[in-house]
Amino acid sequence: MGLGQNSALRVEWIAAVSLAAGAAAVGYLAYKKCLSKDKCCKAMVNPHIQKDNPKVVHAFDMEDLGDKAVYCRCWRSKKFPLCDGAHTKHNEETGDNVGPLIIKRKEA
């Protein structure tokens, strides 16, 4: 094997390694973007309600509800925890299908 052949083989080897490294990098980035379930990459559901609390919890006595209560599940209501219809705009903007939680007293 001559010096010219050895040099050509080295160039081919460098090209192959460079191509493989580039493909691996693109594959890794695609995986991180599309398939990774990292907590840091998920969008928050609650954009602004009681952000100073570690957990938002509301409890109501059934007797206090009256005949019907409508609660927000999209976290965009200005009257949270009650629904003000903000999910309609949210659904139009995002393609989501979230709606309110409706609690009604059972008809006797």
Side-chain angles (χ1 to χ4, degrees), residues 11-89:
V11 169
E12 288 178 10
W13 177 253
I14 290 172
V17 168
S18 298
L19 182 63
V26 169
Y28 174 76
L29 292 174
Y31 166 77
K32 290 297 283 181
K33 177 77 173 162
C34 300
L35 300 176
S36 181
K37 303 294 184 199
D38 290 340
K39 184 177 181 179
C40 67
C41 299
K42 291 183 180 181
M44 284 193 175
V45 174
N46 176 6
H48 60 273
I49 296 168
Q50 294 183 14
K51 297 305 280 184
D52 54 330
N53 289 341
K55 186 189 307 184
V56 179
V57 177
H58 293 93
F60 300 93
D61 290 329
M62 292 299 290
E63 295 80 23
D64 297 338
L65 293 179
D67 292 334
K68 179 179 173 182
V70 183
Y71 294 100
C72 176
R73 293 192 304 167
C74 73
W75 293 84
R76 270 93 183 144
S77 174
K78 300 290 186 223
K79 299 182 342 182
F80 192 87
L82 301 175
C83 177
D84 68 357
H87 59 273
T88 304
K89 182 180 177 191

